[in-house]
Amino acid sequence: MDGIMVRQVAWEQYDEQEMQKVFAFAEDYKRFLDKGKTERECAAEAAAQAEALGFCSLDSVIREGRKLQAGDRVYCNWMGKSFMAFIIGEKPLEEGMNILGAHIDSPRLDVKQNPLYEEEGIAYFDTHYYGGIKKYQWVALPLALHGVIVRRDGSKVTVAIGENADDPVFYISDLLVHLSQEQLAKKASVAVEGEQLNLIVGTQSLKGEEKDAVKANVLKLLKEKYDLEEEDLLSAELEIVPAGQARDLGFDRALIASYGHDDRVCAYPSWRAVADFEGTPAYTLCAILTDKEEIGSVGATGMDSHFFENVVAELYAAANDSYCELGVRRTLRNSRMLSSDVSAGYDPNFASVFEKKNAAIVGRGVCFNKFTGRGGKGGSNDANAEFIAEIRRIMDGANVDFQTAELGKVDVGGGGTIAYMCAKYGMNVIDAGIAVLSMHAPWEIVSKADIWEAYKCYCAFLKEAKAF
Ligand code: MN
Ligand code: MN
């Protein structure tokens, strides 16, 4: 590569002290990954951290009719699946907020509403995959079951099975290679089909039971351990994710292999940048960790919902003497946002789909995408050049290693993010993020240096971005 796109290898700029910070931050991030393998777990963990840091819940602010002052810290755990945190600034809200956004849902397999059945002595949970996956990657590996089951009376059972060393795991079988002649000749997209993603949950039969004795035994265990009836599965959200913890990768431990980097690798540093902010900011600061991005940001907890706008309206009402709809509109319109989501890391094994000088390289810092989309930027927020110039100023001032990229070669494919949904308020938004290898695979790969540069980028943005 040559020309203006040459960017420093992030690792080469660190002195010993900063190198320690890079690795320490990665440890914090790995702990967050291990605690948050679903959007609910991520939102709960962020909310617990917020409480510990003295952030007040927006619910309590509303309930008590409290007035918000500059320096106040507020969070909101929206339906248990999306999380927002704010630090009220010195300037009026109408001058806009500095917003960091990312998503905390990740591709996975969801358990169907009527899931449990038995065939030839094997009890299965039927699944429906969530988000874009290569189905063949989700067979023949240990899987964990996370989620909630809500009984008719509203009481809730929370489960996370398969993460501790002595927990059982779950599994989807693949065909033995000896009999795979036909399967291996198929297109990879149909080599394993959606309705074949059936999770093995038990094989021991209940004594004395004539029909479906294995299923009966699973139900008996669910009753004994969790006081659940089969019907309770109708009102459950159970997610199947790869079992196991985030791990260092490579002799140098410079990479992290984990489930769910997309997009917790942006969500965690975004939240941390707000959490770590000291003192009172000039502008109000915001981190928003949202749900449902992987299926189009729809639903009441996705970015396309009005929940964010509603929360900003509540904030406005609490920070001003009177509510003013125009004031809320100005708050949103005048805001600045980094909409962070993972970038496709350039993969030398699959070089043909990338255009190298506009590809995100692992280890070369945080990545800005002027546009995303597919086939002629379709569906993309195309950030303004004026805003990008402002971003360059801020990044260079804070000595942040950054690169610019697009998802792949023109006409090869594409993808979307939450950026265009925030842009509909008229605010300046740009896609930012971190390069990932094997995106949407059960185990994804990111560089510790890129996580650190993203964190530095977010801190600088919160501090320096201003109305223009
Ligand atoms: Mn994503
Ligand atoms: Mn994704």
Side-chain angles (χ1 to χ4, degrees):
M1 298 214 299
D2 50 14
I4 60 163
M5 302 309 295
V6 172
R7 288 286 169 188
Q8 223 185 328
V9 176
W11 292 109
E12 288 169 13
Q13 69 151 324
Y14 301 141
D15 57 23
E16 204 171 311
Q17 206 186 1
E18 192 170 11
M19 194 70 89
Q20 276 173 12
K21 289 183 184 170
V22 173
F23 281 90
F25 193 85
E27 291 307 304
D28 291 346
Y29 170 53
K30 281 158 60 188
R31 271 190 290 278
F32 183 81
L33 283 172
D34 293 341
K35 284 185 176 164
K37 296 190 87 167
T38 67
E39 61 281 19
R40 280 181 191 266
E41 290 173 354
C42 288
E45 174 61 16
Q49 292 181 0
E51 283 278 350
L53 290 167
F55 282 68
C56 315
S57 81
L58 181 64
D59 289 343
S60 73
V61 170
I62 295 168
R63 199 170 49 237
E64 292 157 20
R66 274 201 11 239
K67 282 290 148 202
L68 292 176
Q69 315 277 343
D72 281 352
R73 285 157 159 77
V74 181
Y75 80 92
C76 174
N77 184 351
W78 178 245
M79 286 189 179
K81 296 179 181 178
S82 285
F83 170 85
M84 288 153 278
F86 300 87
I87 304 177
I88 307 300
E90 302 276 7
K91 293 176 186 286
L93 273 167
E94 282 95 333
E95 292 189 36
M97 303 180 287
N98 292 345
I99 305 171
L100 301 172
H103 70 91
I104 48 177
D105 61 316
S106 297
R108 60 180 188 252
L109 310 178
D110 283 345
V111 173
K112 288 192 186 187
Q113 291 330 111
N114 180 11
L116 182 60
Y117 69 100
E118 172 177 346
E119 263 182 44
E120 297 307 317
I122 304 178
Y124 293 99
F125 271 177
D126 211 337
T127 71
H128 193 137
Y129 59 95
Y130 172 98
I133 61 164
K134 290 177 164 180
K135 282 159 275 191
Y136 67 80
Q137 291 179 334
W138 291 73
V139 296
L141 76 168
L143 297 165
L145 188 69
H146 291 244
V148 297
I149 304 110
V150 186
R151 301 190 193 88
R152 205 182 340 237
D153 65 3
S155 58
K156 192 184 286 185
V157 177
T158 302
V159 296
I161 308 164
E163 304 295 354
N164 295 322
D166 57 350
D167 278 356
V169 293
F170 303 91
Y171 190 85
I172 297 167
S173 59
D174 195 4
L175 188 57
L176 64 167
V177 69
H178 316 68
L179 299 178
S180 290
Q181 208 171 312
E182 204 176 297
Q183 185 198 33
L184 291 174
K186 285 181 182 172
K187 272 169 48 177
S189 59
V190 293
V192 173
E193 299 201 47
E195 286 295 353
Q196 288 176 319
L197 295 174
N198 301 318
L199 190 75
I200 297 176
V201 297
T203 53
Q204 192 179 15
S205 51
L206 187 63
K207 255 187 200 163
E209 206 66 28
E210 295 207 342
K211 197 173 167 286
D212 289 347
V214 176
K215 176 179 168 179
N217 195 47
V218 169
L219 287 172
K220 179 173 166 265
L221 292 170
L222 290 178
K223 181 70 187 172
E224 281 171 9
K225 291 197 179 184
Y226 306 105
D227 191 23
L228 291 170
E229 310 290 341
E230 185 176 11
E231 271 196 11
D232 292 327
L233 295 171
L234 293 175
S235 44
E237 284 178 352
L238 295 172
E239 305 183 8
I240 299 158
V241 298
Q245 303 193 320
R247 305 286 296 267
D248 289 347
L249 195 161
F251 290 116
D252 52 12
R253 297 178 172 264
L255 302 174
I256 301 172
S258 176
Y259 167 68
H261 284 313
D262 180 3
D263 181 34
R264 293 155 194 159
V265 73
C266 299
Y268 179 70
S270 290
W271 153 235
R272 268 290 298 267
V274 171
D276 293 348
F277 191 91
E278 285 173 12
T280 303
Y283 296 95
T284 295
L285 310 182
C286 167
I288 169 166
L289 314 187
T290 180
D291 180 30
K292 296 282 183 285
E293 194 278 339
E294 296 295 354
I295 57 169
S297 295
V298 291
T301 54
M303 199 65 222
D304 206 30
S305 155
H306 287 195
F307 77 80
F308 178 61
E309 187 181 326
N310 292 344
V311 163
V312 172
E314 294 284 3
L315 215 63
Y316 187 94
N320 288 280
D321 294 330
S322 61
Y323 179 73
C324 167
E325 202 209 320
L326 183 58
V328 175
R329 287 171 183 258
R330 282 178 177 154
T331 300
L332 290 162
R333 174 247 174 278
N334 288 325
S335 289
R336 295 113 344 229
M337 179 173 188
L338 297 184
S339 163
S340 290
D341 205 342
V342 291
S343 268
Y346 177 82
D347 189 337
N349 282 341
F350 300 97
S352 67
V353 298
F354 295 95
E355 192 265 283
K356 210 169 176 180
K357 69 187 185 308
N358 286 291
I361 313 281
V362 167
R364 303 245 169 124
V366 64
C367 180
F368 291 99
N369 304 70
K370 184 178 190 300
F371 54 86
T372 58
R374 64 174 69 225
K377 302 189 178 181
S380 151
N381 166 63
D382 199 356
N384 284 338
E386 289 85 347
F387 187 46
I388 299 176
E390 169 74 352
I391 297 289
R392 287 174 56 202
R393 180 187 69 79
I394 296 169
M395 295 306 120
D396 289 343
N399 195 26
V400 174
D401 276 332
F402 72 94
Q403 48 187 333
T404 62
E406 54 184 70
L407 187 48
K409 271 186 181 167
V410 180
D411 289 339
V412 169
T417 65
I418 62 170
Y420 77 92
M421 284 162 253
C422 306
K424 73 187 171 192
Y425 297 110
M427 68 175 75
N428 269 299
V429 188
I430 184 166
D431 279 291
I434 290 172
V436 173
L437 296 177
S438 296
M439 192 191 294
H440 284 205
W443 297 92
E444 303 175 308
I445 310 302
V446 298
S447 162
K448 292 180 181 179
D450 293 338
I451 303 168
W452 178 246
E453 293 305 314
Y455 173 69
K456 275 164 62 185
C457 154
Y458 299 151
C459 291
F461 179 82
L462 290 179
K463 202 155 160 261
E464 300 292 335
K466 45 179 169 284
F468 67 98

